[in-house]
């Protein structure tokens, strides 16, 4: 990005979350969830692509996340986004939900290390944040028999067997790798788009 | 789908507390991941439609109910007919399954959006002594879902008007361009809506750390308690039926 540091004097000293920031976080949460659902719905038809979703969501949604944290740049934006994600996307399996919230806290810690100023840390934090795309799948790894039973009932045996054959021991790690890779590609696009459109318009 | 940004409940036969609606949303999202049978979800969805009608949106409830009936009929026909072309069966299974799976959560979110005023939502949760910092993002989240779908429709029309298609071929051959063309206008217009929303809340004095008074009467009535018990019972029922299906009781 062109500017190394964000110089936003009006709110820089204000470390408290104001109502304005809460509104931004909630609204970006809605955009993030809707876009994610569209991506998952389109790719979810094929078992292989369904399991590769962390990659696609990372690529598409990085811009939304970056814009959210750049717009608010205070403690809490990533956390609120993460909690909204956890409650809506992985509430079906409680350990997965708490894992997603934990990942959001980690992303927030990365932002904290960068003191909410360093653009590098804003970008890195999404690499952590996107790991939460693995959380909706935790049901599949830790509770496999019930997941397969459900997939059989809903989608038929072919689809269930397809997912079951793919969900072997190394799959969670592959998904985490895909999540980081997707987030990496995503933040490259995001930094490009933000420089091209939003910095010019004076939004961030 | 005509989504209005501001819910209203004046035409409703019963007035349901926002907290009850949020509980219904939670049970709905749990039902679709823990029930393994069409039967459980169908029963749950029908009750949800009836509740929707009672809350003052009979037309939406009717449309959703008819769609649900058609999907269930198609699934029943597919289950009983042998020797149909495999590809058609597979596609239909995917489409109808996604519909069944998404029906309860989507209907309950619509229930919150369409029949709840934001001020009612805020004051109900403030009565539970939940801090404003937790309520506001949730309220904005629900308020913003219809906005995002609205923006999405507008962008699609604008793109079609300029001769840029959103067909699968275009998306696959130009993925980066598609991301840029869809995301950037959506984010730009959403941000301006957010800024207006923020200005409006500032003007209403939400930023002050003082407990706000409200004209809204917040009270859980008999109907609310009845609905809470009913939906938890329905959830339990669909889980039990699901367990029975899983263990092969109906096979």
């Amino acid at each position: 990005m062109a500017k190394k540091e964000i110089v936003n004097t009006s709110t820089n000293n204000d470390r408290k979350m104001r109502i304005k920031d809460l509104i931004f976080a909630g609204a970006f949460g809605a955009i993030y969830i809707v876009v994610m659902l569209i991506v998952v719905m389109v790719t979810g038809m094929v078992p292989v692509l369904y399991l590769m979703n962390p990659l696609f969501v990372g690529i598409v949604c990085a811009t939304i996340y970056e814009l959210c944290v750049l717009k608010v740049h205070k403690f809490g934006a990533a956390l609120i986004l993460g909690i909204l994600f956890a409650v809506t996307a992985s509430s079906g399996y409680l350990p997965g939900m708490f894992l997603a919230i934990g990942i959001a806290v980690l992303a927030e810690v990365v932002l904290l290390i960068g003191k909410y100023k360093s653009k590098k840390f804003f970008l890195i934090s999404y690499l952590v944040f996107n790991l939460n795309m693995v959380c909706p799948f935790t049901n599949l790894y830790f509770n496999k028999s019930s997941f397969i039973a459900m997939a059989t009932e809903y989608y038929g045996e072919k689809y269930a067997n397809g997912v079951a054959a793919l969900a072997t021991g190394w799959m969670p790690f592959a998904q985490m790798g895909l999540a980081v890779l997707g987030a990496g590609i995503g933040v490259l696009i995001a930094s490009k788009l933000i420089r091209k459109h939003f910095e010019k318009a004076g939004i961030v | 789908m005509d989504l209005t940004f501001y819910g209203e409940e004046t035409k409703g036969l019963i007035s349901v507390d926002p907290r009850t609606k949020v509980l219904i949303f939670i049970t709905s999202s749990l039902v679709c991941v823990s029930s393994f049978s069409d039967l459980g979800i169908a029963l749950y969805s029908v009750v949800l439609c009836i509740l929707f009608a009672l809350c003052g949106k009979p037309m939406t409830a009717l449309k959703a109910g008819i769609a649900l009936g058609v999907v269930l009929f198609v699934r029943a026909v597919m289950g009983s007919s042998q020797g149909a072309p495999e590809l058609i069966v597979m596609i239909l299974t995917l489409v109808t399954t996604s519909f069944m799976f998404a029906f309860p959560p989507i209907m309950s979110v619509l229930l919150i959006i369409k029949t709840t005023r934001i001020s009612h939502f805020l004051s109900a949760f403030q009565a539970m002594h939940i801090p404003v910092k937790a309520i506001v993002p949730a309220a904005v989240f629900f308020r913003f879902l219809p906005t995002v779908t609205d923006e999405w429709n507008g962008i699609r029309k604008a793109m079609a008007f300029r001769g840029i298609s959103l067909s699968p071929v275009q998306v696959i051959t130009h993925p980066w361009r598609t991301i840029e063309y869809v995301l950037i206008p959506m984010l730009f217009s959403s941000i301006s809506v957010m800024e207006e929303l923020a200005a409006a809340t500032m003007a209403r004095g939400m930023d002050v750390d003082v407990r706000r008074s409200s004209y809204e009467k917040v009270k859980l009535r008999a109907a609310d308690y009845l609905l809470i018990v009913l939906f938890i019972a329905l959830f339990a029922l669909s889980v039990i039926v699901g367990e029975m299906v899983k263990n092969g009781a109906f096979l």
Side-chain angles (χ1 to χ4, degrees), chain B residues 134-250:
Chain B
I135 309 168
V136 169
V140 173
F141 178 75
F142 284 121
R143 152 73 172 75
F144 233 78
L145 289 176
T147 311
V148 178
T149 39
D150 193 49
E151 299 291 352
W152 162 249
N153 287 333
I155 290 163
R156 227 179 32 199
K157 276 179 203 157
M159 282 171 79
F161 190 63
R162 300 231 173 161
I164 307 163
S165 81
L166 257 178
S167 64
V169 180
Q170 282 289 313
V171 174
I172 291 166
T173 48
H174 300 281
W176 315 130
R177 220 178 60 182
T178 314
I179 292 173
E180 186 174 355
Y181 284 179
V182 173
L183 268 187
I184 299 302
M186 183 187 273
L187 286 169
F188 259 108
S189 49
S190 303
I191 283 173
S192 56
V193 174
M194 285 176 219
E195 304 229 320
E196 281 161 20
L197 208 60
T201 45
M202 296 277 239
R204 283 171 177 75
M206 287 282 282
D207 221 357
V208 189
D209 295 328
V210 179
R211 195 179 162 74
R212 289 160 54 79
S213 58
S214 173
Y215 282 123
E216 301 284 347
K217 277 204 193 90
V218 179
K219 198 165 178 283
L220 284 175
R221 297 190 188 82
D224 291 302
Y225 289 113
L226 203 66
L227 281 173
I228 290 171
V229 173
L230 176 68
F231 273 91
I232 290 179
L234 274 175
F235 167 60
L237 184 72
S238 67
V239 170
I240 292 167
V241 171
E243 284 297 312
M244 280 158 70
V245 169
K246 202 167 109 186
N247 298 331
F250 295 137

Side-chain angles (χ1 to χ4, degrees), chain A residues 69-127:
Chain A
V69 289
L70 281 172
K71 192 90 182 116
V72 178
H73 63 84
K74 286 173 194 170
F75 180 84
L79 192 60
I80 290 173
L81 205 61
I83 290 173
L84 288 174
F85 176 90
V87 171
T88 44
S90 48
S91 60
Y93 185 61
L94 274 183
M97 189 173 111
F98 289 119
L99 189 65
I101 294 175
I103 288 168
V105 172
L106 270 183
E108 196 68 66
V109 167
V110 173
L111 288 175
L112 204 63
I113 295 169
K115 295 200 177 68
Y116 298 92
K117 275 181 187 169
S118 151
K119 282 212 167 171
K120 217 183 273 166
F121 280 93
F122 275 122
L123 297 182
I124 292 170
S125 81
Y126 188 67
L127 299 186

Side-chain angles (χ1 to χ4, degrees), chain B:
Chain B
M1 209 165 17
D2 58 323
L3 287 170
T4 43
F5 298 145
Y6 307 104
E8 46 119 16
E9 51 181 356
T10 43
K11 281 180 252 159
L13 289 173
I14 52 170
S15 151
V16 183
D17 195 274
R19 287 166 283 181
T20 314
K21 288 177 192 160
V22 169
L23 183 89
I24 292 172
F25 169 63
I26 294 169
T27 55
S28 302
S29 43
L30 286 176
V31 157
C32 65
V33 290
S34 47
S35 163
F36 297 93
S37 67
D38 276 6
L39 193 68
I41 289 191
L43 189 65
Y44 190 93
S45 309
V46 168
V47 176
L48 206 54
C49 284
I50 294 170
L51 177 65
F52 221 101
L54 286 176
C55 283
K57 299 280 175 197
M59 283 321 285
T60 320
L62 194 65
K63 274 185 227 160
I66 290 171
L68 180 71
V70 169
V71 166
L72 281 174
F73 179 72
V74 169
R75 281 177 83 84
V77 167
M78 273 195 309
S80 60
S81 63
Q82 302 290 323
E86 201 169 319
L87 186 70
I88 294 174
V89 170
M90 214 174 89
I91 292 169
L92 275 180
T93 312
L94 279 173
V95 172
T96 56
T97 303
S98 313
F99 181 89
M100 292 289 291
F101 195 75
F103 191 85
I106 288 181
M107 278 303 271
S108 50
V109 166
L110 281 182
L111 185 70
I112 296 175
I113 292 171
K114 284 198 154 196
T115 66
T116 316
R117 277 165 294 119
I118 297 286
S119 57
H120 198 186
F121 188 94
L122 289 177
S123 53
F125 281 92
Q126 262 173 354
M128 279 176 88
H129 301 285
I130 294 175
V132 180
K133 292 195 172 166
I135 309 168
V136 169
V140 173
F141 178 75
F142 284 121
R143 152 73 172 75
F144 233 78
L145 289 176
T147 311
V148 178
T149 39
D150 193 49
E151 299 291 352
W152 162 249
N153 287 333
I155 290 163
R156 227 179 32 199
K157 276 179 203 157
M159 282 171 79
F161 190 63
R162 300 231 173 161
I164 307 163
S165 81
L166 257 178
S167 64
V169 180
Q170 282 289 313
V171 174
I172 291 166
T173 48
H174 300 281
W176 315 130
R177 220 178 60 182
T178 314
I179 292 173
E180 186 174 355
Y181 284 179
V182 173
L183 268 187
I184 299 302
M186 183 187 273
L187 286 169
F188 259 108
S189 49
S190 303
I191 283 173
S192 56
V193 174
M194 285 176 219
E195 304 229 320
E196 281 161 20
L197 208 60
T201 45
M202 296 277 239
R204 283 171 177 75
M206 287 282 282
D207 221 357
V208 189
D209 295 328
V210 179
R211 195 179 162 74
R212 289 160 54 79
S213 58
S214 173
Y215 282 123
E216 301 284 347
K217 277 204 193 90
V218 179
K219 198 165 178 283
L220 284 175
R221 297 190 188 82
D224 291 302
Y225 289 113
L226 203 66
L227 281 173
I228 290 171
V229 173
L230 176 68
F231 273 91
I232 290 179
L234 274 175
F235 167 60
L237 184 72
S238 67
V239 170
I240 292 167
V241 171
E243 284 297 312
M244 280 158 70
V245 169
K246 202 167 109 186
N247 298 331
F250 295 137
L251 296 178

